[in-house]
Every structure is written in C-alpha cells, then in structure tokens.
Amino acid sequence: NLCRCTGYRPILEGCKTFCNKKNCCSKVELDEFNQELDKDIVSTELYDSSKFTPYDPSQELIFPPELLILGKQPPSSFTISGSKVTWISPTSLDQLISTKQNFPHSKLVAGHLEIGINTKYHGVSNSVLISTANIKELNDITETTDGISVGAAVSIARLKQELEAIIQRLPEHRTRIFSGFVEIFKRFGCCQVRNVASLAGNIVTARSTSDLCTVLVGAKCQLIIKSSQGSERQIIIDDTFFSPDGKCGLNSDEILTTIIIPFSKELLKLLQQNFMAPNQSHRRDNSFAIVNAGLRIALERSNVDNWAVKDCTLAYGGMGPKILIAKRTSLALIGKEWKNDIIEDSIASIGEDLPLEYSATGGAVEYRKALAASFFFKFFMKVQSDLSKEKVNPDQPSTDDLRRPIVHLAGLQQTTGEAQYTLDIPEYRNELHASILQSKRAHAIIKSINCDDAINLPGVHGYVSAEDVPGSNRFGHLMPEEDIFSTEKVTSHGQMIGLIVAETKEIADAAVRLIKIEYEDLPAILTIKDAIKAESFFSKPIHLAGGNIEEGFASSDHIIEDELYMGGQEHFYMENQAVIVVPKAEAMELEISVTTQSLRETQFAVAKALGIPSNRITCHVKRLGGGFGGKKNRISSLSAAVAVAARKLRRPIRLLVDRHVDMAIKGSRAPYLTKYKVGFNNDGKLNALQIKMYCNSGYSMDLSPVIMSFSMIRLFGSYAVENFDYTGISCKTNINSTTAFRGYGTPQAVLITEKIMTEVANRCGVSQRKIRESCLHAEGYISSFNQKLENCQIRNVWNELIQRSDYENRKLKLGNDDDNYTSNMLVIRNNRFKKRGMAIVPCSHGIGYTGTEFLDQAGALIQVYIDGSLLLSHGGVELGQGLHTKLIQICTHILGIPKEKIHLIESNSAIIPNATQTSNSSATDLYGAATKDACEKLNERLTPIRAMMPNATWEELINAAYFNRVSLSVAGYFVDPIATVFNFETKTGIAIKYYTYGAAVSEVEVDTLTGEHQNLRTDIVMDVGRSLNPAIDIGQVEGAFVQGLGLYTLEQQYYTPEGIPLMTGPENYKIPTASDIPREFRIALLRNSENNKAVLSSKGIGEPPLSLASSIFLALYDAVMACRLEKNLSGSFKFDSPATPESVRMACADEIIEKIKNTDQKEGENEWGIRC
C-alpha cells in the first residue's frame, strides 16, 4: 500500500486490468488532448495482448480440498501451547466465559493488530491469548427496530458491507448515523486491516485518536457487557467509559459481546437527527487522526421556519489523553434555535471544553483547537444544508492516467513475489541473528554497560562491541569521522553501541532490551537555530557570489527579507537495510549479501574494520527494494559491525533492521533553514539576491558539504541573476547524521528559488508566468558558476507545458486573467470555504558528480556462451528504477539480438571491482556507456567471422567464434571525458555535465476549515534527451514527483526536546498513498531533444522530476493567499515546508482562529515535539 517511488499510477493501472472490461474506467476513450499526446510522444502499447497465452481455468492452482472439507465442518475448540504464549480458540460464548474465568488476565484477540504491534515493538508480552474467530454469538449482525446489533468480533469490512446494504434499502433519514460510520470505514486503515479489525478491538484499545470510538460515543451507541460470573450490563458508551491512561471501562472479568448502533430518527417532519463524523489526519487514508469527531444533534421544529436543539452530543478525539465530550457546549445548545447566532458562542465554548496543554502529546496544539472548532462549523453548515434541502453535488473527476504500467526486466517477478531480495536468501546452517544496541540519549557520556542479563538469556551467543574490532573502529565518507561502535560517548540518539548475536532474531531483540546502560547527559544541540546560536558548524562556509550586490539593492524599488524552513524527509524504502555475512574456512574470506547502493564503499569499510585486504571480501546484491540514497554509505558501518561479529563467532550472521530501528539510525534528508534578501524593480526585474542556507547535518559531516555544494549551484538554476551572494553552512547538531537523498540538495534549492519568485510576483502584481519567463535561461547564458549553457532546452520545455496544460484558459477560470494578483476570484464567489490555487515552476537539474570526478568511471563485463546466450555484469545496482532493463536495451540495439538472449544475475564486487555507486541520476550514463563499450568490442571481435558467414544466425556466429578461438568474454570500460571539478573560491572548472530540464503546472483545492487539500491536476513536460525507454522514464517522473509531493506537503519529522526521534514508523510518519496523487496526472516527454554528453543521447531522469512537486506547495500557497485576500489580510505570511494540513489551516487565519485562546506555556513545560 505504501510505494511512493512508483507514483502509484502503475499499480492502479495494473489493478484496472482485473476490472470488468465493459465498465472499467481504464477503457474510457482518451480525450483529444491525450490522443494528441500519445501519438506525439510514444506508443502506449507496452505489450501485445494477442501473444498472451489464453486463459485456461483448468490450469489454475486449486484450493486445497482438505481445507474445503474442513471449512464445511463446524469449528471445534483447540489450544496451542508455546514456550511463551498459549493460544486458545473456543467455539461458543459459554466456553469463552469459562476460559476467561480460568485465565482472568488473558487477552481476547480478533484482528491481533494492536497486540502484534505491542509485542513486536514495545516488548509487551501476553501469556494467554483467546481467539474470538469461531464464536458465533460474537460474529452475528442482527437488525432490530431501533438499530443493528453487531457482534464484538465482526470485522470492519463485513460491517461496512452490511451498513451499505441497509443504507440502500432504508430511507435516508433513518441511516444518517450509518452513513457516518461508512465514511469513516472508507478511511480506516487499509483493506487488509479492515478485513480483520473489529469495533470491539478499537473500543478496548481505547486510543484517544480512534475514529471508531469517537463515532460510537457521538452516536450514543450501546454496549452489552457480560462478566465471567454470568451477569450482564447494557450501557450507552460515552467519554466516561475511557480513562486517560489508555484503558476502557471493562473489568478484567468482563467481555464486550455486542455493540448496538441506532437508527437516526425523523418523525412527521417535526423531529430529525443529523450526524457527522469528520476527521483530519496527516494523509487521507491509513493514518491515525490528528483530531476526529462524532457530532450528533436532534432537532425539533419550533415553528414553521425554525428548528430548536432537543439533544446534542459533540464527541472529540485527539483533544486529550482520551475521548472527550464537549459537555458544556452540548448542554448550552439544548433549547436554542439552530441559527447562525449559535456559532460564535459554541466555538468559544468548545475551546473551554477541550483545553490542551502546551506539551500535549502529538503537538500542533493550536491547530487541533482550530480543527475542533472548524468541525463544529462544518457540521453546522451541513445541518443547515440538510434542513434547506440544498444538496451539494461535489465534483470528483476520475484520475486520467496518461501512461500504462512500467514494464521492466523484473516487473512480473516483483508483481508475483518471485523476485528475490537479500532477506529471501535461505538461512545458512548454523546461522545466527544480530540485533543492534542503540544509544537512548542524544548527547551523553557512557558511564557503564551491563550485559549480564542479556548474555545469560538462553539462545544468546555473545555481545560484540568496539573491543572486538580487529582493525579500525572508524569510518566515514569524506573522512573517517565516525565510530562503528560508540565507546566513551554518544552524540546522537540511535547510534550503535554494540550487537547482540543469538539463535533467532526474536531472542536477540529480547536480549538487547535487557542491557542496562548508565549515561551522564551532556547539553544537546538539536535545531538549526540552536546550532547558529552556538556557532556549531562543520568546516568553513561555502560561498558563491557574482556582480555587485550593494549596487543591486541600492537600485531596487522593493526589498523583501524573510526566511524559509524546510523539513527533512525519511527514505522509507520498501525493503529495510539488511546484511548477511558468511565467513569462509580459509584466508579470512567473507561473502557479504547486503542492501547497498555502493558495493565499493561497503567492501572497503568491512576490510578496514577487519584489517584485511579488500580482495578477501566479496559483496553482492541482486536488487534493492528502493534506496533513494539511504543505502549508499550508511549501510557500510552496519556491514562492518556484522562482519566483526561473524569473524569473532565464526558463524554466518544475519542482520535485519526493523523499520523503527532503520528510521532511528540511518539518517534522512537534511532540514534547511534559509535566510534571504531580494531586491527588485516594480516590473519584477531581479536586481540583487542574498541567500544564506543552513542545513542540519546531524552529528557527523557524512555527505553534507557535498550536498550543500549541489544546493549552491542549483539556486536560481533556471533564472538569470546578475548580482548574487550565496552562502551554504552545514550545522553540527546531536540528531542522527543526515545523508544522501534523491535530489541531493536540489529540492531545497528549487523551493527557495520558487518561493522567492512567487513573492516577487505577488508584491509587484505581475503574473507568475510573466515573472518567470522574463528571466528564464537561454542558450549561451553564463551561469552563476561561470559555465556556458549549451543545448539549453528550458524555454522549449516551458512553452510546451504552457500549451499542453491549457495554462492560460485554466488561469482565466480561476480569475487570474491579468497581471494583477486577483487569485481565485471565481472560486471565492462560489465557495467561501473551498479555495483553489495553481502554480507553475521550471527546473534545471544539473547532472554530474561535482567535485568527485573519480566517480565518473564504470565497468561492465559481457560473457557469451556457445548456445548464444549472453550474461551481462556491471557495477551498478538495480534499485527498481529499470537500470538493468535499459542496459539490456543497449545490448539489443548494438548487438542486434533479442532481449530474451540476455541475462543479468547480480551486482558483485568480485566481477566489477571499485564500482561507482548507483546514485545522482548517473547510473545509466556510466554503466550504459560501459555496456556500450563492451558490446562494440564484441562486435569488433566478431567482424571477421561475420565476413566469412554473412547469413549466419547469432547462434551460428557465436559457435563459429568459439571454434575459431575468439574470446567471448569482453570487459567494457568508460571514463567520462568531462571532468566535473569546480572551485567555489575561484569559480573555475566544470560543475555539471549537462542539464535535465522540466516544468510543471499543478492545481489544488483547499478546505480552509481543516487545511486538507486535493491535488486536482498536474501537468509535466520533461526533457530526457532521446529516451532509452519512455515507459520507464515516465514512471520515474511519476515516482519522483510523488516522493517530492510527500517532501513538500506531507512528510514531517519531530523530535522530543531531548533529541529522541518521534517519527520512526508508518504509524506516525506518513508518506503519500494512492489517494494523494493528482487526480489528473499528465506526463509528456520533450520531442527532438539531443544530448551528446550521455549514452545514446539520453539523459539522467531519476532525480530531476522530484523538485517539480514544489508546484503543489506553491499552489497551496496560492490558495491560502486567496483565502487571506478575501478577509483583507496581509499577503505576507509564514508558510514553511512541508505544507501540512496544520500549516495550511493556520495560515488561512479566519474568524475561528481569532477566537481560539492561545495555549499558555507553564514554567518548565516543553513542547511535545520540535522540528530540527
């Protein structure tokens, strides 16, 4: 469900192939726009369905007959006893009660969701679990005159189906509560979760942010509870049923058996009930709510025109440690007429009913208070609409998928699960498992470590630390600056102190929890502002300047000074980091299977730690389940640590890093704080720019200076600026070391650039298009780093985007029909609480390893066997981006053989030594060129044989070459003739090889009461040169854009004031899902573009499209501006990245926000979470 790197479109398209062909939305004819696009760009036929093997149902795997027979038999009770847990499955309610009597502290299990998470991640153990799956009484749904009775074990998916059937069958006024439940169910978890989760499970879990519990309280549902002594009680669930410590009102001997959901009522048009269950989460689905509500009101007609409140329940979740009812507000509303007069008093009263402390868990205190008030306001408007019979017909256009699913070498294997990853390698005989002992402090001295309890745990084979390292305990990318195992001091939470090695992963994890460490805390620097204040920086600042900035500011009509904060981003790849080390019996040899983007760096780190030559170590990887930079060099220290353990114990050792550990130790994209000053004229002409960028590098440099240098040369990368002064500073703090991430400093530079351009246009009253076009790069322009632009395509890309996106007509519809800023005038007139925004941005992404020209080399090896089959090896790593597929296409193009003849096994350091890492959008450029070189050498060797056998088949040709003793093993090698070496001080050298150009237009719609938005449409035009595989390149555009969408609008990192990362799993760190992609997602590749600086005139594409998602951020900025202008508020406002629902809502700054009292900070009270 979470796979942002695909852009989700291929997954959705694949699913559509299973739909009924007559009704499937994927079969709808393309509109004229898309038809024109298809024939201009590339054929959408990625396969010929006529060549598919006809479907034969008789060849399907049959469902096991034994299970079919078993399924028809009545269930029988059983018990499974393990070493730690006993599983009991009764078949009747009486058996369940009896079992509960015998085991009063046992846990009842339906979906096993919360219990599974608590067991795996929080160390909670349960000795007895009782399954409710086979108890008929708990799995029944019964309709009564007052509502429906739902068994406690009924799944959410089944209940949703039943409620939908009832809604279709009964009058609308009787099913309003049911409709509220169904709407919540649609956003509850995911399909897999809904299939097993139950209402009762959510009730007893008692989360304050549980959507279901809040709805149950708001709807005044009833619970039937039985005790093991035989007594029964029936209660109406309210906020007193839940306690602040996360427990519910069930005694240890009681069982929740039934939930009763009532019908809503309407009597002779004199009495009616309305119900609404709003919620706001970090993303649209599969995410816990920030705030939710169950709002129910019963109205009776007071006179012909008015309705008065007879009963009211306003229940809220996420406004405290438990679910709360706004009791004073609910009581105050009773008896009052349902008119606009009640809004102001009710909003103020809700704020008093639902106070939040400054340090409240989850943070975002003011936003949550605004949401609670906004939910009531939305409910009020909904009820008013229902009373006046004015039904809104929301416009929800279907997604227009421009391209078909990505097809690459392992596409089918990955879809079916046949593709093998590192942890799919079967366990070796005598294999052991490792678990990491992490630091629990951000900055502290290690006073003592007590491992006695851990070592004595049965199944534990040892503890490994710095004392066991035979070579060097230091490693690093730019210099050896970090410890593999921390010894005397830790400088970040999550740093590795040691490894526990045991027979199973579960035992190793349990042993780690038993280790006791005594710390002496030291002052910690966490945020960029803390680092600036303490002058805690790495090395000296990077500086780039040109022109005369003082004269530029002096001649300017306007000057803007401001700052922009941009948060970091987690890699969140599908496959976690993993390593398997197998020690060999002789010569200290090691075989390492590892999830790395750089076999060279991993091999070197292990060799250095063990004090042995690199030729004794073989590192290999078949493919990665995503990398994005997170598996480039941070995996090296983990590999070295496991290698030390394997050498010490002389056993194969496997390390799987769980998601929450992976996110805590690996590092992320660096947060940036940028202070800027820009001078410009009334017509928008830029006269002077002064920009100072600070990045939070964490406790070590890692790659931060290199990333910052990339940011510097990509500032205003598409625009001509005469006078500028840029400074880049890497801050040393006590968070985990930030590291490489897709885009490599460019997404930060692009957002800063486009935010400044947008502000300049707004201040001058010049259109966003005009302000950008006036200074777009042109052929021959000398860049800020003194490099002349050649084959500059940015204006061609821009013009094609304007045409294809129908930009001007769409701006007219939004009211932006002149140079004055009159954003969204039509939308303003039509809807006060829905605003649309639109933004257009270019991007010029320079390709090349700036300052590290030694990386611009690559090797490949072709081996042809006498049957004509070809084995291709190269030093790149398949990250899922189609590298292998493109290299095979190069082979087929040069050698003239079908792709079925070519195979790749894996990437292996023993075959291609010293391989450059797969990163920086350069893998195809490098390894494609090396593969091309190998193919051309092979053709040269075969030329004499071809001359003798001009009509020979490939197989005959190879066979003849073999018998003529022609070597069929060919090494290809490529050295880039362009040395990317640049000196910032002298502004000499070459910073980039070439540009990949792109531009995007995005349109959004914002709910100004909650801050939630819909991405309505995005158009992108990319210059990829002459694409080697348009389908893969378009897939890369989509995937990178969606990853950028998460960076700019959704994904946020928080730390405790003590430096502990709070976002360490999918439970609280939210990446985009399929619901977040633009409803219309249109991608086009620029035609007739050449590039003589890369293989076969192609261009690197993996990273450049990511920055184009800044168009979504700026479209949100545009929509918020429209909301503020309507209220005559300032057009200048704080709007940092990511533009989450919280920041959007608070920036709208309406009357509701004004009425919310500021939360007082008590003495000694800290905020729940901080952004570093």
Side-chain angles (χ1 to χ4, degrees), residues 1014-1149:
Q1014 291 281 334
N1015 299 318
L1016 301 179
R1017 175 173 168 179
T1018 291
D1019 295 76
I1020 297 174
V1021 173
M1022 289 299 302
D1023 164 33
V1024 298
R1026 294 181 62 186
S1027 174
L1028 298 178
N1029 185 322
I1032 286 178
D1033 286 345
I1034 288 169
Q1036 285 300 293
V1037 174
E1038 293 170 332
F1041 184 88
V1042 172
Q1043 196 165 40
L1045 185 154
L1047 169 65
Y1048 293 124
T1049 70
L1050 185 62
E1051 301 172 41
Q1052 52 186 342
Q1053 297 173 308
Y1054 279 99
Y1055 295 77
T1056 69
E1058 296 75 35
I1060 301 172
L1062 291 166
M1063 307 305 187
T1064 56
E1067 182 182 52
N1068 41 38
Y1069 186 82
K1070 302 303 177 184
I1071 69 172
T1073 69
S1075 299
D1076 298 301
I1077 67 173
R1079 289 179 177 178
E1080 293 184 77
F1081 204 179
R1082 307 184 180 207
I1083 315 294
L1085 304 181
L1086 187 69
R1087 295 158 292 181
N1088 305 319
S1089 176
E1090 300 286 339
N1091 178 32
N1092 60 6
K1093 296 177 181 178
V1095 61
L1096 298 176
S1097 202
S1098 64
K1099 286 189 175 185
I1101 189 59
E1103 296 173 296
L1106 190 146
S1107 300
L1108 294 177
S1110 60
S1111 60
I1112 297 283
F1113 176 92
L1114 294 169
L1116 291 171
Y1117 183 88
D1118 187 50
V1120 172
M1121 178 75 79
C1123 178
R1124 293 176 65 90
L1125 290 179
E1126 183 185 30
K1127 301 175 178 63
N1128 296 317
L1129 296 173
S1130 169
S1132 177
F1133 55 96
K1134 186 175 180 61
F1135 201 66
D1136 290 333
S1137 175
T1140 61
E1142 174 187 356
S1143 61
V1144 171
R1145 176 65 184 95
M1146 301 309 287
C1148 288

Side-chain angles (χ1 to χ4, degrees), residues 546-821:
N548 190 321
I549 193 168
E550 289 80 11
E551 288 185 5
F553 282 122
S555 63
S556 296
D557 298 324
H558 305 278
I559 292 178
I560 294 176
E561 287 190 74
D562 205 347
E563 65 179 38
L564 174 68
Y565 175 82
M566 181 173 171
Q569 184 181 28
E570 291 289 344
H571 300 86
F572 212 96
Y573 25 63
M574 292 286 285
E575 173 198 33
N576 292 347
Q577 298 191 83
V579 58
I580 304 170
V581 178
V582 182
K584 300 298 184 179
E586 60 179 80
M588 295 184 293
E589 294 176 1
L590 289 177
E591 180 183 340
I592 302 177
S593 301
V594 57
T595 56
T596 182
Q597 295 174 237
S598 179
L599 293 170
R600 172 182 56 84
E601 293 184 62
T602 301
Q603 182 186 39
F604 179 77
V606 172
K608 188 177 178 183
L610 296 181
I612 61 176
S614 294
N615 63 3
R616 311 298 169 86
I617 300 163
T618 300
C619 296
H620 57 95
V621 58
K622 191 167 186 68
R623 62 173 60 86
L624 296 183
F628 316 122
K631 295 174 181 173
K632 180 184 171 296
N633 62 313
R634 303 306 297 177
I635 185 67
S636 300
S637 61
L638 296 180
S639 301
V642 178
V644 168
R647 177 61 63 200
K648 176 182 178 179
L649 299 175
R650 301 189 180 279
R651 299 270 292 273
I653 295 180
R654 180 183 301 242
L655 172 66
L656 165 62
V657 184
D658 286 330
R659 177 74 65 184
H660 68 289
V661 177
D662 189 291
M663 293 178 71
I665 68 174
K666 150 196 59 61
S668 64
R669 190 190 299 276
Y672 270 49
L673 177 66
T674 302
K675 300 176 184 289
Y676 58 89
K677 180 180 178 181
V678 55
F680 51 97
N681 292 339
N682 290 325
D683 61 359
K685 181 181 181 297
L686 299 177
N687 292 327
L689 273 171
Q690 190 173 50
I691 298 176
K692 185 175 284 188
M693 294 184 292
Y694 299 88
C695 76
N696 194 332
S697 302
Y699 69 84
S700 73
M701 276 196 303
D702 192 75
L703 293 162
S704 292
V706 181
I707 293 169
M708 180 57 78
S709 70
F710 276 52
S711 293
M712 295 283 285
I713 64 175
R714 286 164 179 148
L715 274 171
F716 281 76
S718 298
Y719 303 113
V721 181
E722 183 178 350
N723 307 306
F724 59 91
D725 186 346
Y726 305 152
T727 304
I729 301 172
S730 301
C731 299
K732 182 179 181 180
T733 65
N734 294 113
I735 67 169
N736 209 289
S737 186
T738 54
T739 189
F741 201 124
R742 191 179 198 171
Y744 221 68
T746 305
Q748 296 94 327
V750 169
L751 184 67
I752 294 160
T753 299
E754 296 303 328
K755 178 71 159 40
I756 291 173
M757 294 298 288
T758 300
E759 288 184 333
V760 170
N762 291 346
R763 179 70 68 89
C764 296
V766 178
S767 73
Q768 298 294 336
R769 174 185 174 183
K770 184 176 180 180
I771 200 74
R772 287 168 169 81
E773 286 182 348
S774 66
C775 56
L776 271 181
H777 280 169
E779 184 75 11
Y781 175 75
I782 305 300
S783 71
S784 62
F785 43 92
N786 276 348
Q787 191 167 331
K788 184 178 180 180
L789 298 188
E790 300 175 357
N791 192 25
C792 180
Q793 296 283 358
I794 188 61
R795 289 182 179 269
N796 291 333
V797 167
W798 181 269
N799 293 334
E800 185 143 342
L801 176 70
I802 295 293
Q803 177 187 352
R804 290 184 177 280
S805 66
D806 195 24
Y807 179 80
E808 289 302 329
N809 286 331
R810 290 166 61 199
K811 290 293 283 184
L812 283 172
K813 291 179 181 178
L814 288 180
N816 294 327
D817 53 354
D818 55 45
D819 282 352
N820 296 316
Y821 190 89

Side-chain angles (χ1 to χ4, degrees), residues 366-437:
E366 306 301 329
Y367 176 51
R368 286 152 70 183
K369 291 160 74 173
L371 281 177
S374 298
F375 285 167
F376 176 79
F377 185 65
K378 292 183 70 133
F379 182 50
F380 176 84
M381 292 192 298
K382 176 183 180 298
V383 174
Q384 286 287 74
S385 175
D386 289 344
L387 293 175
S388 61
K389 302 300 182 184
E390 295 178 3
K391 302 295 182 182
V392 179
N393 183 19
D395 180 20
Q396 298 183 355
S398 61
T399 301
D400 183 5
D401 299 308
L402 273 181
R403 296 290 176 249
R404 294 174 185 260
I406 298 170
V407 175
H408 72 76
L409 190 67
L412 291 177
Q413 293 96 317
Q414 289 171 319
T415 304
T416 60
E418 297 172 88
Q420 297 292 294
Y421 292 87
T422 298
L423 287 178
D424 292 321
I425 297 173
E427 286 199 11
Y428 293 89
R429 186 173 62 86
N430 294 328
E431 183 179 283
L432 300 176
H433 293 260
S435 183
I436 301 172
L437 173 63

Side-chain angles (χ1 to χ4, degrees), residues 224-246:
I224 297 178
I225 301 168
K226 291 189 177 182
S227 74
S228 55
Q229 282 73 39
S231 61
E232 180 179 296
R233 60 189 177 110
Q234 184 167 333
I235 63 170
I236 295 176
I237 186 172
D238 59 17
D239 57 348
T240 63
F241 186 74
F242 304 99
S243 59
D245 60 356

